[in-house]
Amino acid sequence: MNVLVINAGSSSLKYQLVHVENHAVIAKGICERVGSANAFHKHGIDENEVVIDAQMADHDAAMALVLDSLINSDDAPIKSLDEIDAIGHRIVQGGKYFDKSVLIDDDVIEKIDELAELAPLHNKAALMGIRACQKHMPNIPMVAVFDTSFFQTLPPKAYMYPLPYEYYEKYAIRKYGAHGTSHRYISERAAVVLDEPLEDLKLITCHLGNGCSMSAIDHGVAVDTSMGLTPLDGLMMGTRCGAIDPAIVPFLMEHENLTTSEVNDVMNKKSGLLGISGVSNDLRSVRDASEGGNERAQLAYDMYSNSVKKYIGAYIAVMGGVDAIVLTAGVGENCEKMRRMIFAGLQPLGIILDEEKNRQRGFEREISADNSAVKIIIIPTNEEYMIALDTFRIVEESEIDRDI
Ligand code: AMP
């Protein structure tokens, strides 16, 4: 089955065409700056990628370009849109309605719209992607895969905030988490690498990229996660501050004369690695600066690793132990220095990094020392494949139901 995976952002449209049974990406690309004069379209895999300046007034126009490149480009992977069997959409916020991926119908669309209050930019963008697909491919089944659904298993003691209860009742303010598709994928793959059933394992999963989140997964069930009502909570990130004393918000608004949207901007776009180092949100640049003697860059490195370390401790306590710590995303997969700093000093907890294995490159691999009670594993994340797989399973099931 060929599944078109769509990840629509407020001004972007990312896509992959995946042949599920072959585990193969047969086309991919992204339309960026959708709706602005300098929009462009990147299409192609690795060295075959081409970048084309293109006019796209909205997501509908971007989708038309994407579909055209799938059937008409020089290396077109398919001859007609009939070769697309299903479409999987990444949706950021599924609220309390969705604890798993679902076939998209009018009711699902209505709920995604209703939930836009909790993720305004993301859910509205996803709806634009869904509507564009409905217009261009009206008869192809579509599935919604939610970033939050993996965390619907959290118990109330983990998802509630100690605020007046009425705000939960009135506004559904609670922890929803994010990056759930990534945490689900890497926990499932970790069980395969460890050659043990997921249901027998206590895992701490760490998605460390520009956005960062960690989860405690107890016997296959997510019991806690670091992102909250929004993806701003938890770990220090590329440009997001993560958890800070909430009293800092009114303090800054008062002393810097900031509006709510300006203070939001500070916490989402000007903080984290960028805010502390003053160099970049990109860890590679921060690393180069720190190695060149930039003290603020070194401080940013120290703070980032310390923030991961604290969640490791917290989640060991939450689960009463851990069998494996799983790392993924740009930093988790690639930055040996950050991994060294995260795991330094954790020997008393039975967590020992193997320095040599940590230096090696590769795909899915274990990097803990032979005498480490807790395994440390790297799993490159693959959210698109997970979305394609969910779509495949749900569409197959619905076809079987229809046949019955
Ligand atoms: P992601 O959001 O998963 O794309 O991750 C982006 C982050 O990963 C950025 O901060 C990059 O600097 C970081 N990153 C990617 N490759 C490397 C690398 N080889 N060494 C250090 N950091 C890296």
Side-chain angles (χ1 to χ4, degrees):
M1 182 187 283
N2 286 332
V3 175
L4 180 62
V5 176
I6 299 289
N7 182 353
S10 51
S11 63
S12 66
L13 189 90
K14 218 168 153 184
Y15 60 94
Q16 269 195 15
L17 186 60
V18 179
H19 189 283
V20 179
E21 295 90 328
N22 292 352
H23 211 308
V25 177
I26 50 181
K28 69 175 191 176
I30 184 167
C31 294
E32 291 206 57
R33 303 193 193 131
V34 176
S36 79
N38 51 359
F40 62 93
H41 176 198
K42 274 191 208 167
H43 177 80
I45 299 174
D46 301 332
E47 64 277 5
N48 293 322
E49 185 180 89
V50 288
V51 184
I52 315 143
D53 289 331
Q55 292 302 311
M56 33 190 142
D58 52 25
H59 284 68
D60 187 47
M63 185 61 70
L65 276 179
V66 169
L67 297 178
D68 184 57
S69 62
L70 290 177
I71 51 176
N72 287 324
S73 60
D74 291 344
D75 55 349
I78 52 175
K79 290 192 182 61
S80 105
L81 294 183
D82 294 341
E83 290 176 56
I84 299 176
D85 300 295
I87 303 165
H89 290 271
R90 177 204 176 204
I91 317 282
V92 164
Q93 182 55 263
K96 64 173 192 284
Y97 295 127
F98 301 107
D99 60 1
K100 52 182 180 304
S101 307
V102 290
L103 208 56
I104 296 179
D105 59 16
D106 290 347
D107 179 54
V108 170
I109 290 177
E110 208 173 287
K111 289 201 166 87
I112 293 171
D113 199 16
E114 183 192 320
L115 290 164
E117 204 181 2
L118 296 171
L121 294 179
H122 291 106
N123 274 30
K124 290 281 183 201
L127 284 173
M128 290 193 272
I130 290 172
R131 291 200 176 107
C133 287
Q134 278 179 325
K135 179 171 166 198
H136 295 282
M137 294 172 283
N139 300 318
I140 299 182
M142 297 197 286
V143 167
V145 180
F146 301 90
D147 268 17
T148 49
S149 57
F150 184 56
F151 299 119
Q152 280 297 299
T153 51
L154 261 55
K157 66 180 175 187
Y159 71 65
M160 289 298 292
Y161 291 113
L163 288 165
Y165 197 82
E166 69 196 76
Y167 297 138
Y168 169 64
E169 294 174 314
K170 242 161 111 176
Y171 305 114
I173 290 179
R174 49 157 285 181
K175 181 186 284 245
Y176 292 102
H179 289 152
T181 311
S182 175
H183 287 277
R184 181 155 65 101
Y185 177 79
I186 65 171
S187 60
E188 287 178 11
R189 289 302 310 163
V192 174
V193 169
L194 289 166
D195 197 19
E196 288 189 54
L198 185 56
E199 296 71 31
D200 290 351
L201 292 167
K202 292 179 181 186
L203 300 176
I204 296 176
T205 49
C206 315
H207 181 113
L208 306 178
N210 200 27
C212 303
S213 62
M214 287 174 61
S215 301
I217 304 176
D218 198 353
H219 297 86
V221 176
V223 292
D224 208 347
T225 193
S226 60
M227 284 179 168
L229 173 73
T230 73
L232 182 58
D233 199 5
L235 296 156
M236 170 175 171
M237 314 186 203
T239 59
R240 283 174 243 161
C241 57
I244 56 171
D245 179 347
I248 295 170
V249 178
F251 182 96
L252 278 181
M253 290 175 80
E254 229 172 278
H255 288 75
E256 290 280 310
N257 205 16
L258 301 178
T259 62
T260 44
S261 114
E262 285 165 344
V263 79
N264 236 331
D265 223 48
V266 168
M267 294 188 294
N268 276 292
K269 299 188 181 153
K270 298 180 180 163
S271 300
L273 287 173
L274 173 66
I276 292 296
S277 70
V279 174
S280 172
N281 64 311
D282 190 307
L283 190 68
R284 283 165 292 202
S285 309
V286 178
R287 183 184 53 203
D288 292 347
S290 75
E291 284 166 4
N294 182 322
E295 286 180 12
R296 274 176 50 187
Q298 186 55 45
L299 174 64
Y301 237 96
D302 289 342
M303 289 172 65
Y304 187 106
S305 59
N306 201 45
S307 117
V308 177
K309 213 188 262 282
K310 285 201 280 192
Y311 271 96
I312 291 176
Y315 288 164
I316 289 176
V318 163
M319 294 190 288
V322 61
D323 296 306
I325 300 173
V326 192
L327 301 158
T328 197
V331 176
E333 289 168 35
N334 300 305
C335 190
E336 56 171 274
K337 176 175 171 177
M338 186 59 84
R339 292 194 299 254
R340 220 173 27 245
M341 290 173 67
I342 289 169
F343 295 110
L346 298 189
Q347 292 88 336
L349 299 176
I351 305 167
I352 308 169
L353 185 72
D354 183 305
E355 295 283 344
E356 182 48 37
K357 289 185 199 160
N358 186 41
R359 272 192 289 274
Q360 289 163 5
R361 300 229 144 225
F363 187 54
E364 296 177 342
R365 63 199 189 277
E366 212 177 291
I367 56 166
S368 40
D370 293 343
N371 61 338
S372 179
V374 177
K375 306 280 185 220
I376 307 171
I377 304 171
I378 296 178
I379 306 279
T381 194
N382 195 342
E383 288 158 284
E384 287 80 9
Y385 183 70
M386 196 87 242
I387 294 172
L389 194 61
D390 271 7
T391 304
F392 168 80
R393 287 177 182 150
I394 288 173
V395 169
E396 286 238 307
E397 268 168 31
S398 75
E399 280 168 2
I400 292 167
D401 288 350
R402 239 192 358 240
D403 291 345
I404 293 169

